[in-house]
Amino acid sequence: MNVTVIGSASAVSPEERALRDLYMEHGPALYSYVLRMLGGDTHRTEDILQETLLRCWNKQALTDSEGMAVRPWMFRVARNLVIDAHRTRMARPMEIAGNSWLSDMCAEVDDIEQMLSSIVVQDALRSLTPAHREALRATIFEDRTTQQAAEALGVPQGTVKSRVYYALRSLKSALEDNGVR
């Protein structure tokens, strides 16, 4: 099976050779121009370049015959394709990745999980002694140092440290009893 790619070195027809010559002559400059317009997106740049050459092929404007300047025409077509693509993206709703529905569902599950976890933690906190709950509130929940908590509670700093230690130990035990690991 003999396959000839349009614009390849083995192109047979004059149109195919003309397209290859057109690409060789104007392709690098057109690529650089479109790449700058698209902010460095090489994939979209290649698509625009290919579409520009395809339109040139369809129009049969492969040579400068009939007084038509091909290079400015190609740059204008490429520019218009970039503008059209931008306008299309602006008119359509924002595209989302294919895995976003999964993260959206996980967010809903996370909300439920967070609510259930907070209920379990509240039950575990209720099982602590009032002194231990007060020490945890004054340090962890109110984001204070042990010195600041000691001053707020009116007890020595060492007492706050030991109450927090034993409160966390009791809290861990209560959570394990409720199946939290």
Side-chain angles (χ1 to χ4, degrees):
M1 180 169 155
N2 188 5
V3 177
T4 302
V5 177
I6 295 174
S8 68
S10 62
V12 179
S13 72
E15 293 87 11
E16 290 177 5
R17 283 193 302 276
L19 182 62
R20 179 179 49 90
D21 294 342
L22 192 66
Y23 175 75
M24 297 302 285
E25 184 178 346
H26 303 294
L30 187 61
Y31 182 86
S32 297
Y33 173 70
V34 174
L35 188 64
R36 279 192 309 273
M37 287 178 64
L38 294 175
D41 187 343
T42 57
H43 298 291
R44 286 181 39 215
T45 299
E46 291 168 359
D47 289 343
I48 296 292
L49 183 61
Q50 185 175 15
E51 181 65 26
T52 301
L53 288 171
L54 180 65
R55 289 188 183 191
C56 194
W57 173 266
N58 287 335
K59 187 169 174 49
Q60 298 292 321
L62 301 175
T63 61
D64 283 335
S65 63
E66 303 169 9
M68 180 179 167
V70 175
R71 186 178 181 109
W73 181 84
M74 289 175 63
F75 276 74
R76 173 59 65 178
V77 168
R79 180 179 181 277
N80 289 345
L81 287 170
V82 170
I83 290 170
D84 289 347
H86 176 73
R87 287 179 180 161
T88 300
R89 275 192 310 281
M90 293 290 110
R92 291 175 31 197
M94 186 130 155
E95 294 179 6
I96 54 175
N99 61 356
S100 69
W101 64 271
L102 182 59
S103 61
D104 291 344
M105 286 186 65
C106 289
E108 292 174 15
V109 170
D110 288 345
D111 291 342
I112 294 170
E113 186 68 31
Q114 187 177 14
M115 181 186 69
L116 293 174
S117 295
S118 69
I119 292 171
V120 171
V121 169
Q122 286 176 356
D123 288 342
L125 284 171
R126 280 190 210 107
S127 70
L128 299 177
T129 65
H132 287 160
R133 269 197 311 270
E134 197 173 73
L136 285 179
R137 182 189 48 78
T139 55
I140 296 173
F141 297 130
E142 293 180 3
D143 196 28
R144 294 182 183 160
T145 65
T146 54
Q147 180 62 41
Q148 293 169 337
E151 291 170 4
L153 296 174
V155 295
Q157 184 178 2
T159 303
V160 172
K161 286 181 182 181
S162 66
R163 284 181 184 173
V164 168
Y165 172 79
Y166 287 110
L168 290 175
R169 199 167 125 182
S170 297
L171 188 61
K172 180 181 176 187
S173 176
L175 289 172
E176 286 175 351
D177 291 345
N178 287 330
V180 177
R181 300 223 174 239

